[in-house]
Amino acid sequence: MSTSPPVPSLRRALPTIIQGGMGVAVSSWRLASSVARRGQLGVVSGTALDLVLTRRLEDGDLDGSVRRAMAAFPVRAIVERVLARHLRPGGRAPGVAYTPVPRLSMRPRRAVQELTVLGNFVEVWLAKEGHDGPVGINYLEKIQMALPAAAYGAMLAGVDAVLVGAGIPRHLPHLLDELAAHRPTRMPVDVLGDPGGDHGVDIDPPDLLGPGLLPLNRPVFLAIVSSEVLAAYLTRDPAMRPDGFVIEGPRAGGHNAPPRGRPTRDERGQPVFGARDQADIAKVAAVGLPFWLAGSLGTPEAVRASVAAGATGVQVGTVFALSTDSGLTPELRARLLAGLRAGDLEVLTDGDASPTGFPFKVAQLDGTLSDPAVREARPRLCDLGFLRSPYRKVDGGVGYRCPAEPVEMFVRKGGSADDAAGRACLCNALSADVGLGQTRPDGRTEEALVTLGADLTGASRLAELHPDGWSADEVLDWLLAPA
């Protein structure tokens, strides 16, 4: 299948625990490094790493970690251009806004691809620094326009695994093969209103970095899917075949696959999942590839039961998100843990919040966009655009729209007002979760929106064991303890 060999660190010993990719930098390099040092798969979030890089620099990079990683990047001229534009020694002055980063498109300028490559390189390089444990990166298939440059940057830093969900990642094996050999390639992109059109984003590695590049290790590719049907589909064609699967159930945090069948909602407005939405594990096992189960499995008993059922292990998110190693701001983590200890922290499945249209798990927290009144009061704008979708315009050209942008603008672009109702700007909110929220001209800062898994049993038990909070190491000690 691959034109270059699989990564040895994952092939030698498949991990029992995959630490899930979460948010914008909730699964930070620090968290992934802590997990990988223990021989389990530490995963950084690959979403919006160009934004994460520039905002860390504009906050002064006070510990020097970002510049330390940038010093290892193979093209110094790219590094110097980014530093000249974004580094602010000592950090931003109070009330000063972050510098905008260019929005994604199907014809990105060179500077856009350079920034995306560098942002992904930095996060993975830092996660891998100082140890030989396996590090992965998680992407959303929905954000197709960023994938070629993002994956290339991660591979330049030696990423061991690429995990992709929130869609059908049929094109990823070929993309990774081509990037490993530094070959110019194209990532197909879905365009609304033109399903049969020939659309895509091109990347030319030698043009970006120069000639004479040594071949890269081709990372293991794990497809994140919700059903045995999709797992079987992706294995039929060698060009689409992944190296393994994460089988994610509807109780997992973040985005969930929509319920099968006719959509219905419960008395609280949550999409209703049923038996059809649970993967048939025996049929997944029959596919013959390694797989990990995910979705409210963050307890030692769930780990053991998953392995007994034929899984290699589990992917776990919530207990790592609440650990001291995650990228969540200390203030948000403290509030979430206080609610957990009091027994009143609640996570609901919001069918409207995400501009992707996928159901999205939302922790109910006063003052965040989980509160409909706070969401409604926020001025609608789309200035980051990571979740914008390309669409075919009346004149045959390609435009970009997001259901979370101003309703009249979305409707002008061919969207419907109903589809825009209740949407939250996840790009800005998830950036605020990790202390990188934008400051507006009127002094307002962006509100957060936190996602966790639906079942808080594991987190509640850890809170009893560690009343003052817990580290990623303590999560692993607990999950992997013998019966």
Side-chain angles (χ1 to χ4, degrees):
M1 178 185 69
S2 305
T3 57
S4 38
V7 177
S9 62
L10 271 185
R11 290 302 188 193
R12 282 198 304 267
L14 294 174
T16 301
I17 304 296
I18 297 177
Q19 162 255 307
M22 299 173 285
V24 171
V26 171
S27 292
S28 67
W29 65 265
R30 289 183 175 87
L31 174 57
S33 176
S34 296
V35 173
R37 287 172 187 271
R38 296 284 300 274
Q40 304 304 314
L41 182 57
V43 178
V44 297
S45 169
T47 301
L49 284 176
D50 51 348
L51 180 90
V52 170
L53 171 66
T54 61
R55 292 189 174 183
R56 285 175 178 165
L57 289 172
E58 292 182 18
D59 283 337
D61 183 30
L62 299 182
D63 65 359
S65 58
V66 173
R67 283 168 290 172
R68 186 171 71 252
M70 292 173 78
F73 191 73
V75 182
R76 189 63 197 175
I78 293 175
V79 170
E80 295 295 345
R81 284 194 285 271
V82 172
L83 287 173
R85 179 168 174 77
H86 293 287
L87 180 61
R88 296 180 182 176
R92 296 176 300 142
V96 173
Y98 289 111
T99 304
V101 295
R103 290 191 278 184
L104 296 172
S105 72
M106 289 198 296
R107 292 177 176 78
R109 301 195 310 274
R110 181 188 188 91
V112 175
Q113 288 196 323
E114 289 180 350
L115 186 58
T116 301
V117 168
L118 185 58
N120 283 260
F121 175 91
V122 165
E123 197 76 2
V124 172
W125 190 93
L126 287 169
K128 290 183 69 69
E129 184 184 21
H131 65 88
D132 61 358
V135 169
I137 192 164
N138 178 281
Y139 297 117
L140 300 179
E141 199 273 342
K142 171 71 176 175
I143 310 180
Q144 295 170 329
M145 293 181 289
L147 269 170
Y152 187 53
M155 290 170 67
L156 287 169
V159 74
D160 298 289
V162 171
L163 302 88
V164 180
I168 303 175
R170 61 175 71 88
H171 303 298
L172 265 295
H174 176 73
L175 177 69
L176 298 179
D177 288 344
E178 298 301 291
L179 293 177
H182 305 285
R183 286 192 289 262
T185 190
R186 191 175 210 230
M187 171 76 185
V189 172
D190 300 324
V191 173
L192 298 170
D194 191 16
D198 181 18
H199 304 284
V201 173
D202 297 301
I203 185 169
D204 186 337
D207 182 62
L208 270 177
L209 300 189
L213 301 169
L214 296 175
L216 301 171
N217 275 325
R218 193 272 204 187
V220 166
F221 171 55
L222 302 180
I224 304 174
V225 301
S226 62
S227 73
E228 72 281 358
V229 174
L230 184 50
Y233 165 75
L234 289 173
T235 60
R236 288 175 188 165
D237 184 343
M240 298 190 302
R241 186 181 178 89
D243 299 296
F245 295 99
V246 174
I247 308 298
E248 195 171 79
R251 295 177 67 77
H255 288 97
N256 307 127
R260 297 193 204 178
R262 183 178 180 180
T264 59
R265 298 200 178 192
D266 65 16
E267 67 280 357
R268 302 191 68 178
Q270 300 183 99
V272 175
F273 294 91
R276 295 177 61 191
D277 300 303
Q278 300 292 334
D280 186 320
I281 303 306
K283 290 183 179 179
V284 172
V287 170
L289 294 177
F291 67 95
W292 289 258
L293 301 180
S296 296
L297 298 174
T299 67
E301 296 81 6
V303 174
R304 292 192 290 268
S306 297
V307 173
T312 303
V314 299
Q315 177 178 279
V316 179
T318 297
V319 289
F320 285 116
L322 294 173
S323 76
T324 53
D325 295 289
S326 91
L328 281 176
T329 65
E331 185 268 340
L332 276 176
R333 185 184 301 110
R335 292 180 61 200
L336 291 164
L337 290 176
L340 188 70
R341 294 186 185 101
D344 56 14
L345 178 61
E346 188 175 31
V347 178
L348 298 179
T349 305
D350 193 320
D352 301 318
S354 176
T356 66
F358 289 104
F360 189 71
K361 291 289 190 298
V362 176
Q364 304 302 295
L365 207 58
D366 289 344
T368 70
L369 294 182
S370 65
D371 182 338
V374 175
R375 193 182 303 180
E376 187 64 29
R378 178 189 179 272
R380 290 180 72 115
L381 75 158
C382 179
D383 60 340
L384 299 181
F386 292 100
L387 294 176
R388 293 193 309 168
S389 296
Y391 72 98
R392 185 176 182 179
K393 300 193 293 187
V394 174
D395 64 7
V398 174
Y400 304 92
R401 70 189 187 208
C402 177
E405 68 188 352
V407 177
E408 63 278 8
M409 183 181 297
F410 183 65
V411 171
R412 236 183 2 254
K413 295 175 181 178
S416 73
D418 287 344
D419 196 32
R423 301 298 184 191
C425 180
L426 291 192
C427 300
N428 276 292
L430 297 184
S431 302
D433 288 352
V434 294
L436 298 176
Q438 183 62 286
T439 299
R440 300 300 176 189
D442 61 0
R444 181 181 61 84
T445 55
E446 289 287 350
E447 296 89 356
L449 184 69
V450 180
T451 180
L452 297 172
D455 187 344
L456 299 173
T457 302
S460 296
R461 288 170 60 185
L462 275 169
E464 293 177 2
L465 292 170
H466 303 285
D468 297 323
W470 58 84
S471 67
D473 262 326
E474 288 166 327
V475 171
L476 291 172
D477 288 342
W478 185 61
L479 290 177
L480 296 172

